[in-house]
Amino acid sequence: MNQSARSASTHFRAALGAFATGVTIVTTRDSAAADVGLTASSFNSVSLDPPMVLWSLAKDSLSLPAFMECGHFGVHVLASNQQALADRFATRGADKFSGLTVTRGPDGIPLLSGCSARFQCKTAFRHQGGDHVIFVGEVVAFDHLELPPLVFHSGRYAIATPKPESASSSWNVTEDSSSSFSQDFLIFMLGRAHYQLFLRLRRELEQHGLAEGEWFVLSILGAGTRRTLSELDELVGCTGTRVTYDQLAGLAAAGFVQLHGAYDGDVQVELTANGRQAVIELIAAAKAAESDAERHLGVDESRLLKQWVKQIIQDSDPGPPATWREVGN
Amino acid sequence: MNQSARSASTHFRAALGAFATGVTIVTTRDSAAADVGLTASSFNSVSLDPPMVLWSLAKDSLSLPAFMECGHFGVHVLASNQQALADRFATRGADKFSGLTVTRGPDGIPLLSGCSARFQCKTAFRHQGGDHVIFVGEVVAFDHLELPPLVFHSGRYAIATPKPESASSSWNVTEDSSSSFSQDFLIFMLGRAHYQLFLRLRRELEQHGLAEGEWFVLSILGAGTRRTLSELDELVGCTGTRVTYDQLAGLAAAGFVQLHGAYDGDVQVELTANGRQAVIELIAAAKAAESDAERHLGVDESRLLKQWVKQIIQDSDPGPPATWREVGN
């Protein structure tokens, strides 16, 4: 392929990448009874009656002889949490089946578990497809688990989430149905979600005699490092809460922290053993409140939610404290 | 097909649905020079050299003769905002091309615009595929736009978002790099995002002499209905802010609202013309702050973010105010 053709091929690959696909692992057994498998996104459905699926394999693939010789193959549609498996089976020369529990299908083909769908196929046709062979398989058995799918798009892994509806139909908290502002404003929604999560933590905080700002201070100290008042104030300040010397003295009197040195912004603060115990209990309570509030979001959704809120935080960051405190006070 | 086979077919379709795909519209021209097109998710890439793609069509499709007779077809990989187009071309008997601007490819095949990728193909092979015909096309021309894709999974439309990384690598706000709590806690992140968005609105509020709670009150009244103090307090209460009679009297004195009737929770409150003008200005400012903060999220991502925060709000809702105020006070 000359340089210009190579460049055309790069553009063609990129254009093909615009079509999102699931990710599959296709397996078979070679004539020496060794397990063979590879990651493929070229899978698709073909026929319902008889049930048939297809995928295609490069003619120069080392696995081609096995798929040509064996009369059966297995297609495993990967779930979102199987990215490592996809990477492993995409790596030439990897010991792909090492450590995996496989069961056996027709002709002894290896079958993997934990996939969102699995098709055991009898090769029905092998068709011409340029530099690839198109394998059409008649499905002789299949399994299906309702799992979030692993997706491939534009050369990278993705997750698929049901398309949000443009109307606010999923929003049925009764008291808000007549007020437009709460439905439309992210600022309100963030404030309300924060407040409600905080309510769940409040009882726990009250048992320790702590206010929210004090809990933020203890959490920061929970990372293990001594901090000065100035540092704490800067770290907590981005939530709109200030840290004062009196507050720290109160925490010290209650036995949560020890103060060292100066009586101003330079005072060093560190957790006591009691304080550390309180932090552990409160972190557990906060995590429990979060998990409960996130119970209808999947693992990927929860992670994405945090990623996007972080993006909002970065993109609304008012800059260094010295500048934005002027606005804030 | 008997009942048991029909049921098997339903399960088979569901299992196939586990494989996520993009959505395409495939077009051609029939022997009477009429435009033909349909929605298909059975597309996939086949060969790089020569460049080839495939898709399959049911043998009983009314469009089959056109695709059998014409030597060319066009494949349009749809973008996330083209769901209506997908629905239109999936509807038998619809006047599919009505109102659409089409350009012409080889053999006069109709080409649509605004897609994330488009392939003009010369039919290379028509292969056997059970109750479908597999069309393999050699790509003679293609276009590619970087657009978010429309995805189909488990029988419904979806969006694909790059898979979140498990590490918090995208989180590089310097002041937080050493504090574990801010990175891990949704409660903190929601509070900080809310506070930062509010900071952006604060200057605007100050120009009107308003506090955040007063802005919430005016926003609710902006929906157009009179409200009693009790109603307002209940609506705003879910953010942790209380509404008092004195506050409303202050808003009245400043010319934002008019009070009617009682001097207690039953007092009726409505916006004045001045108040309405202030609400319009503040809503514009809030929307601008949100848009700016969401500038690195796509349209679908912004919608999903709100949907998920709403889910968090629903699932952390402490219940009717009478109950949770006890906790709150």
Side-chain angles (χ1 to χ4, degrees):
Chain A
M1 203 183 286
N2 64 28
Q3 191 55 41
S4 142
R6 198 185 304 272
S7 156
S9 164
T10 305
H11 290 302
F12 181 58
R13 276 173 189 267
L16 291 174
F19 184 77
T21 63
V23 181
T24 70
I25 289 175
V26 191
T27 58
T28 194
R29 208 175 200 194
D30 71 14
S31 51
D35 292 334
V36 173
L38 49 86
T39 303
S41 60
S42 59
F43 173 82
N44 220 321
S45 56
V46 182
S47 170
L48 289 175
D49 185 21
M52 286 180 165
V53 298
L54 66 74
W55 66 288
S56 49
L57 179 62
K59 286 180 178 167
D60 64 3
S61 165
L62 296 177
S63 304
L64 187 70
F67 284 102
M68 296 297 279
E69 286 159 22
C70 185
H72 289 89
F73 59 85
V75 180
H76 306 78
V77 179
L78 299 189
S80 178
N81 64 357
Q82 294 182 303
Q83 183 179 330
L85 208 59
D87 286 336
R88 183 202 283 213
F89 276 83
T91 306
R92 189 175 279 206
D95 189 0
K96 296 176 175 176
F97 291 89
S98 165
L100 296 181
T101 307
V102 301
T103 54
R104 296 289 161 186
D107 283 348
I109 58 168
L111 300 173
L112 312 175
S113 57
C115 310
S116 63
R118 189 171 66 178
F119 302 94
Q120 299 176 44
C121 305
K122 179 178 189 320
T123 304
F125 308 107
R126 290 186 294 253
H127 290 312
Q128 269 293 342
D131 59 16
H132 280 58
V133 177
I134 302 164
F135 286 88
V136 179
E138 180 164 354
V139 177
V140 295
F142 65 92
D143 306 274
H144 180 209
L145 292 174
E146 297 279 351
L147 294 171
L150 185 63
V151 175
F152 201 64
H153 177 255
S154 285
R156 51 184 299 188
Y157 293 114
I159 70 163
T161 318
K163 204 164 175 14
E165 290 157 43
S166 42
S168 52
S169 57
S170 70
W171 183 238
N172 52 24
V173 178
T174 323
E175 74 228 32
D176 292 293
S177 57
S178 54
S179 87
S180 67
F181 90 110
S182 57
Q183 300 196 21
D184 294 340
F185 284 106
L186 186 62
I187 184 171
F188 170 85
M189 288 172 13
L190 292 171
R192 180 166 173 185
H194 168 254
Y195 178 69
Q196 289 186 178
L197 281 179
F198 173 64
L199 273 187
R200 303 203 152 201
L201 199 58
R202 182 181 265 190
R203 218 188 270 272
E204 197 80 17
L205 288 175
E206 278 170 355
Q207 282 172 8
H208 289 90
L210 291 168
E212 187 178 18
E214 293 168 329
W215 141 245
F216 285 162
V217 167
L218 294 183
S219 308
I220 293 170
L221 295 172
T225 331
R226 280 192 190 191
R227 295 283 188 176
T228 66
L229 166 53
S230 305
E231 287 170 345
L232 290 169
D233 189 39
E234 194 174 318
L235 287 165
V236 171
C238 58
T239 64
T241 312
R242 301 303 303 255
V243 181
T244 64
Y245 186 85
D246 285 352
Q247 198 179 31
L248 294 180
L251 285 173
F256 292 113
V257 301
Q258 263 196 308
L259 305 186
H260 303 277
Y263 289 90
D264 58 12
D266 293 334
V267 63
Q268 300 265 333
V269 194
E270 73 178 327
L271 281 184
T272 61
N274 275 351
R276 189 160 300 281
Q277 184 55 37
V279 167
I280 289 168
E281 288 167 28
L282 289 167
I283 283 179
K287 285 285 171 204
E290 287 191 14
S291 298
D292 184 57
E294 291 177 340
R295 66 188 179 272
H296 288 114
L297 300 183
V299 175
D300 283 327
E301 280 86 354
S302 293
R303 246 188 237 154
L304 267 184
L305 169 63
K306 287 190 178 178
Q307 186 172 301
W308 291 344
V309 173
K310 281 177 188 175
Q311 189 69 54
I312 295 277
I313 289 172
Q314 285 187 338
D315 290 341
S316 63
D317 194 321
T323 313
W324 59 269
R325 285 272 162 70
E326 286 166 24
V327 181
N329 287 317
Chain B
M1 203 183 289
N2 63 29
Q3 190 56 41
S4 142
R6 198 185 303 272
S7 156
S9 165
T10 305
H11 290 302
F12 182 58
R13 277 173 189 268
L16 291 174
F19 185 77
T21 62
V23 181
T24 71
I25 289 175
V26 191
T27 58
T28 195
R29 209 175 200 193
D30 71 14
S31 51
D35 292 334
V36 172
L38 49 87
T39 302
S41 60
S42 61
F43 173 81
N44 219 320
S45 56
V46 182
S47 170
L48 288 175
D49 184 21
M52 287 180 165
V53 297
L54 66 75
W55 66 289
S56 49
L57 179 62
K59 285 180 178 167
D60 63 3
S61 166
L62 296 177
S63 303
L64 187 70
F67 284 103
M68 295 297 279
E69 286 159 22
C70 184
H72 288 89
F73 60 86
V75 180
H76 306 78
V77 178
L78 299 188
S80 178
N81 64 357
Q82 293 181 303
Q83 184 179 330
L85 208 59
D87 286 337
R88 183 202 283 212
F89 277 83
T91 308
R92 190 174 278 206
D95 190 0
K96 296 175 173 176
F97 292 89
S98 164
L100 296 182
T101 306
V102 301
T103 53
R104 296 288 161 187
D107 283 347
I109 58 168
L111 299 173
L112 312 175
S113 57
C115 310
S116 63
R118 189 170 66 178
F119 302 94
Q120 300 177 43
C121 304
K122 179 179 190 320
T123 305
F125 309 108
R126 290 186 294 254
H127 290 313
Q128 270 293 342
D131 60 14
H132 279 58
V133 177
I134 302 164
F135 286 88
V136 179
E138 180 163 355
V139 177
V140 295
F142 65 92
D143 306 274
H144 180 210
L145 292 174
E146 297 280 351
L147 294 171
L150 185 61
V151 175
F152 200 64
H153 177 256
S154 285
R156 53 183 298 190
Y157 293 114
I159 70 162
T161 318
K163 203 165 178 5
E165 290 156 42
S166 42
S168 52
S169 58
S170 70
W171 182 240
N172 53 25
V173 179
T174 323
E175 74 228 32
D176 292 292
S177 57
S178 54
S179 88
S180 66
F181 90 110
S182 56
Q183 300 196 20
D184 295 340
F185 285 106
L186 186 62
I187 184 172
F188 169 86
M189 287 171 17
L190 292 171
R192 179 165 173 184
H194 169 254
Y195 177 69
Q196 288 186 180
L197 281 178
F198 172 64
L199 273 187
R200 302 202 153 201
L201 199 58
R202 180 180 266 190
R203 219 188 270 273
E204 197 81 17
L205 288 175
E206 279 170 354
Q207 284 174 8
H208 289 90
L210 292 167
E212 189 179 14
E214 293 169 331
W215 141 244
F216 285 162
V217 167
L218 295 183
S219 307
I220 292 170
L221 296 172
T225 331
R226 277 192 194 193
R227 294 283 188 175
T228 65
L229 167 52
S230 306
E231 288 169 344
L232 290 170
D233 188 38
E234 193 175 319
L235 287 165
V236 171
C238 59
T239 63
T241 311
R242 303 299 306 252
V243 181
T244 64
Y245 187 86
D246 285 352
Q247 198 179 32
L248 295 180
L251 285 173
F256 292 113
V257 301
Q258 263 196 308
L259 304 186
H260 304 277
Y263 289 91
D264 57 13
D266 293 333
V267 62
Q268 299 266 332
V269 195
E270 74 178 327
L271 280 185
T272 62
N274 274 353
R276 189 160 301 280
Q277 184 57 37
V279 167
I280 290 167
E281 288 168 26
L282 288 167
I283 284 179
K287 284 286 171 204
E290 287 191 13
S291 298
D292 184 56
E294 292 177 340
R295 65 186 179 274
H296 287 113
L297 301 184
V299 175
D300 283 327
E301 280 86 356
S302 293
R303 248 189 234 151
L304 267 184
L305 170 63
K306 287 189 178 179
Q307 186 171 302
W308 292 343
V309 173
K310 281 177 187 172
Q311 189 67 54
I312 295 277
I313 289 171
Q314 285 187 339
D315 290 340
S316 63
D317 195 321
T323 312
W324 59 267
R325 285 273 163 69
E326 287 165 24
V327 180
N329 286 317

